[in-house]
């Protein structure tokens, strides 16, 4: 059983990146929703970027146990930014 976060957006998703990485090891797209794997969030501040038919959504996830290897500042998005904290 993998720990995950589910994110839903208003329209179909075309791609998802976690800290710039894409693919089945970071997320699984399901129409207008995406399952993001906690195991992909290895930094203290993790950026999840979701490209969908209406634009781009960014979710910032804090991981208190993550690494501090050059975390970057958050970019402005066209849709929304949500903040969650993992402990």
């Amino acid at each position: 059983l993998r720990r995950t976060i589910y994110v839903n957006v208003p329209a179909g998703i075309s791609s998802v990146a976690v800290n710039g990485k894409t693919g089945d090891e970071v997320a699984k797209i399901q129409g207008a929703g995406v399952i993001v794997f906690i195991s992909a969030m290895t930094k203290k501040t993790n950026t999840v970027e979701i490209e969908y038919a209406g634009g781009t959504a960014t979710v910032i996830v804090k991981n208190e146990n993550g690494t501090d290897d050059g975390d970057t500042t958050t970019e402005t998005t066209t849709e929304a930014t949500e903040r969650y904290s993992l402990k």
Side-chain angles (χ1 to χ4, degrees), residues 5-22:
I5 295 174
Y6 185 79
V7 181
N8 191 16
V9 293
I13 297 171
S14 57
S15 69
V16 177
V18 177
N19 300 324
K21 296 178 185 172
T22 59

Side-chain angles (χ1 to χ4, degrees), residues 15-67:
S15 69
V16 177
V18 177
N19 300 324
K21 296 178 185 172
T22 59
D24 289 342
E25 67 277 357
V26 299
K28 294 280 188 185
I29 298 171
Q30 298 180 330
V34 62
I35 297 170
V36 183
F37 300 117
I38 300 295
S39 59
M41 299 180 204
T42 58
K43 295 183 178 185
K44 286 187 183 277
T45 302
N46 298 276
T47 303
V48 180
E49 295 181 324
I50 303 167
E51 297 286 335
Y52 68 102
T56 301
T58 299
V59 180
I60 304 299
V61 180
K62 301 281 186 176
N63 178 355
E64 292 180 357
N65 298 318
T67 61

Side-chain angles (χ1 to χ4, degrees), residues 72-87:
T72 58
T73 58
T74 305
E75 295 180 18
T76 304
T77 64
T78 57
E79 180 62 25
T81 299
E82 297 291 332
R83 297 186 184 276
Y84 297 92
S85 185
L86 300 175
K87 292 187 180 188

